[in-house]
Amino acid sequence: MNKGQERDLKSIWHPFTPLRGMEEPLVIERAEGVNLFTNDGKKIIDAISSWWVNLHGHSHPHIAQAIAQQAAKLEHVIFAGFTHEPAIRLAERLLEILTDNQAKVFYSDNGSTATEVAIKMAFQYFYNQGIKKNRIIAIDGAYHGDTFGAMSVGERGPFTEPFDPYLFNVDFIDFPHTEKETVVFEQFKTLIETGEVAAFIFEPIIQGASGMRVYSAELLDEMISLAQQHNVVCIADEVMTGFGRTGSLFASDFLVNKPDIFCLSKGLTGGAMAMGVTTCTDKIQAAYRSNDLMKTFFHGHSFTANPITCAAANASLDLLLTQKSKEDRERLKQLHTEFADRIEGHKMVRNIRVLGTILAFEMNTDKDTSYFNEARHYLYPYFINRGILLRPLGNVLYLIPPYVISDHEMKFIYDEILKFLNNPESVNKNN
Ligand SMILES: Cc1ncc(COP(=O)(O)O)c(C=O)c1O
């Protein structure tokens, strides 16, 4: 253990990290492009974009400069009763690239707050109109964040168990695996036809945390259509899928029927700073425009629309909307597809999927596919020792790299994965 690790362990409690039996955290001194550099000189390729947030590479000079300039000009101001150019410009630009039914931008701090705001916004939308609807539908396996509202609409399991008594009731429909689509649609229809459903929240066409599980855009489209016919607010949680991850700027671009509310975060600032955004239609906001004070949306955070964060997001959009970034995303999809073809039929591999810049597959182990499949525990150190950051979700190995990763770097990652697949015994399972 080095000095930095010793000091860390004395004073810091890390997220999603068991306090016994885990490796010491690596101390990262700097990062550039797709590479993280440890304080003892090791280089690690960030193949998961640091929890799916990084788009353009680490410490990108354009974003760094925007942050520095904004910090020197206006670092923060209360966002009630005040506004500023970086927030206005960012809202205008987001509305321009989102589906054209989106009209208003509400800022918050991260992905969990973006979904939390969306849920509250939907419930109060009905409350303000005196309409009694208090049920919400979510999909099995969903992950929408770690605050209480977000946890409530997420998969109930070992992560939420200590809190289950405090989570509100949610109607979960089954995950729409291809062979279950008809059954799931019927479950959904039965719930919608009760007339009691206020909202339907979903990760459009791919669930992230449940293991990068892809499902049908056509089915989701039908569900949204039915829901909207019954005045149910449809919430697209694009925290993971937003900003080009799935090949289009937003996963909802693959839909004909447009969601009423969007949740954004992660890639919003190119992964440089924490920020959440919830956008909605004018119809939703209209229910709040009233002289009655009680119809106000009483929600806000101290750092709402922080100018430095907005500047980072604007700078990230500059990069994202270039032809170069678009080509990078297409290139990545092409590389993933070629690799998927290469490992198709491998005895260790099943259910390979490529969606835009995301590649995932399940590894055949003697246990079922699940987050708690032990494969994660030995694969993480195995790949770190080879200079690659991968964080398998149980036995689901996935790649979601920054868009700027080179062909050469991707080849290195694919080759290392293949080496492991061809010789799984080389892994030290006692790690
Ligand atoms: C779809 C989705 N929603 C919400 C969140 C929560 O975001 P945050 O970790 O920023 O709170 C995540 C995080 O992984 C996510 O994948």
Side-chain angles (χ1 to χ4, degrees), residues 350-374:
R350 61 175 194 268
N351 293 335
I352 314 167
R353 51 256 183 196
V354 173
L355 185 63
T357 70
I358 307 167
L359 173 136
F361 62 87
E362 283 151 47
M363 276 177 322
N364 288 323
T365 63
D366 44 10
K367 302 234 171 59
D368 284 348
T369 294
S370 111
Y371 184 89
F372 290 96
N373 184 300
E374 61 176 13

Side-chain angles (χ1 to χ4, degrees), residues 52 110-113 115 143-146 203 209 237 239-240 265-266:
W52 324 341
N110 53 60
S112 303
T113 57
T115 55
Y143 180 73
H144 297 290
D146 286 343
E203 294 158 84
D237 177 352
V239 166
M240 190 277 279
S265 186
K266 294 198 187 273

Side-chain angles (χ1 to χ4, degrees), residues 3-161:
K3 221 73 234 105
Q5 291 172 324
E6 255 174 47
R7 285 172 50 217
D8 173 285
L9 289 177
K10 265 195 193 137
S11 53
I12 298 177
W13 192 344
H14 287 263
F16 278 107
T17 307
L19 295 184
R20 291 235 190 261
M22 291 301 278
E23 315 79 34
E24 291 89 28
L26 298 177
V27 183
I28 300 300
E29 205 163 62
R30 65 182 189 90
E32 191 182 336
V34 297
N35 295 314
L36 310 170
F37 296 93
T38 64
N39 66 346
D40 52 6
K42 226 175 145 205
K43 183 174 94 174
I44 299 168
I45 298 184
D46 187 352
I48 55 157
S49 299
S50 281
W51 259 335
W52 324 341
V53 302
N54 193 290
L55 307 186
H56 319 293
H58 287 275
S59 304
H60 193 288
H62 182 63
I63 300 178
Q65 194 189 19
I67 290 173
Q69 282 176 351
Q70 188 57 47
K73 193 173 174 190
L74 168 67
E75 93 303 357
H76 187 62
V77 62
I78 176 174
F79 206 60
F82 291 85
T83 190
H84 48 78
E85 178 60 22
I88 298 168
R89 184 165 140 72
L90 178 58
E92 288 171 349
R93 294 175 85 190
L94 289 174
L95 294 176
E96 215 161 275
I97 57 172
L98 280 163
T99 59
D100 48 12
N101 66 342
Q102 294 303 291
K104 302 289 172 192
V105 171
F106 192 97
Y107 289 109
S108 66
D109 294 350
N110 53 60
S112 303
T113 57
T115 55
E116 202 76 39
V117 165
I119 296 163
K120 288 176 71 173
M121 207 179 251
F123 279 137
Q124 195 181 336
Y125 166 72
F126 291 108
Y127 174 89
N128 281 2
Q129 298 174 82
I131 299 172
K132 277 214 158 42
K133 277 184 173 223
N134 51 20
R135 293 172 78 167
I136 181 163
I137 302 177
I139 302 179
D140 257 349
Y143 180 73
H144 297 290
D146 286 343
T147 50
F148 270 84
M151 259 199 300
S152 294
V153 291
E155 162 100 350
R156 305 293 165 86
F159 291 173
T160 61
E161 200 176 297

